[in-house]
Amino acid sequence: MASRGCILAVFAIFFISRVLCSHRAPVAPMTPYLMLCQPHMRCGDKFYDPLQHCCYDDAVVPLARTQRCGKCTFRVCFEQCCPWTFMVKLINQNCDSAPTSDDRLCRN
């Protein structure tokens, strides 16, 4: 049978976690450990905060990270380079799809 102190400790942990989650604990902790209510995603074997980073090429990168595509620069978290046409498209668009008004042609 579980001791009374153990049951009390489990109850206290549950209560504290409920209080933290109901008051939206800070998203960006000051330590490398994840906080209980922090939104997080997984990139390979690492966790990251999707409000500050994204997963690009199996690496956690800042949302502001850019890369070259022909003569253009694109934001790797939001756009993609279609290398055979040197066109920048939104991340969820297929490179083989017809050009849209959001696309940028980046030939040299």
Side-chain angles (χ1 to χ4, degrees):
M1 187 168 171
S3 70
R4 189 176 197 157
C6 183
I7 294 172
L8 186 59
V10 170
F11 178 74
I13 289 171
F14 176 76
F15 178 75
I16 290 170
S17 68
R18 296 289 291 176
V19 169
L20 284 175
C21 290
S22 68
H23 288 72
R24 304 291 289 163
V27 173
M30 297 303 177
T31 65
Y33 303 103
L34 288 175
M35 292 186 71
L36 200 54
C37 303
Q38 175 184 3
H40 62 278
M41 304 280 293
R42 197 173 172 133
C43 181
D45 62 346
K46 296 187 178 357
F47 288 97
Y48 67 94
D49 178 356
L51 299 174
Q52 298 178 5
H53 298 91
C54 74
C55 186
Y56 177 73
D57 224 8
D58 290 325
V60 177
V61 297
L63 289 179
R65 172 72 53 93
T66 60
Q67 196 166 336
R68 301 286 299 163
C69 179
K71 65 178 181 177
C72 297
T73 301
F74 71 101
R75 301 166 300 162
V76 300
C77 294
F78 306 104
E79 301 171 313
Q80 63 181 327
C81 178
C82 301
W84 51 93
T85 59
F86 286 110
M87 186 167 293
V88 172
K89 290 183 166 276
L90 294 176
I91 203 82
N92 60 352
Q93 291 180 332
N94 187 340
C95 282
D96 296 328
S97 64
T100 66
S101 61
D102 294 330
D103 299 343
R104 291 182 287 145
L105 189 58
C106 301
R107 288 198 177 117
N108 289 333

